[in-house]
Amino acid sequence: NDMRDLLNLTIMNLRNNNFTVFPSEITHMVNLKDLILSDNPIATYPAEIVNLKKLTKIYLTHTKITPEGIDQLKQLLPNLSVSTTDLE
């Protein structure tokens, strides 16, 4: 399983995988535009998330990331839209 094979992904759905820690490998997937992490008990994200410059949408419904953490995420990635409501 070589992470280099995943570098060109633009959408990743990791919903409901019971992750308790943000998978740091994701921060190397610099072409990601949409990231779905809903329904995982993740409370924080790595500082390296700033590497995801193309990320425009992240779904964090039913995670443990605080409103302050979400505000900080929006400051780190100004073009990012953060969804904390259920996917439609």
Side-chain angles (χ1 to χ4, degrees):
N1 188 3
D2 192 351
M3 287 300 294
R4 287 178 293 197
D5 295 339
L6 302 176
L7 292 179
N8 291 321
L9 280 179
T10 58
I11 299 172
M12 179 171 271
N13 185 346
L14 296 175
R15 184 178 192 168
N16 201 24
N17 277 287
N18 207 30
F19 288 124
T20 56
V21 176
F22 189 104
S24 61
E25 296 85 0
I26 292 173
T27 63
H28 301 288
M29 298 176 185
V30 295
N31 290 306
L32 271 183
K33 293 181 180 180
D34 288 19
L35 177 58
I36 303 166
L37 288 170
S38 296
D39 301 307
N40 287 292
I42 297 169
T44 61
Y45 45 84
E48 294 81 13
I49 198 164
V50 298
N51 296 336
L52 303 179
K53 305 258 186 250
K54 294 182 182 179
L55 192 65
T56 57
K57 188 76 174 171
I58 190 167
Y59 297 86
L60 298 172
T61 307
H62 303 130
T63 64
K64 294 184 177 183
I65 297 176
T66 64
E68 294 81 12
I70 290 171
D71 288 343
Q72 183 182 23
L73 187 58
K74 290 177 182 178
Q75 289 175 2
L76 292 171
L77 295 166
N79 295 323
L80 185 64
S81 173
V82 180
S83 176
T84 56
T85 58
D86 288 325
L87 292 171
E88 296 179 9

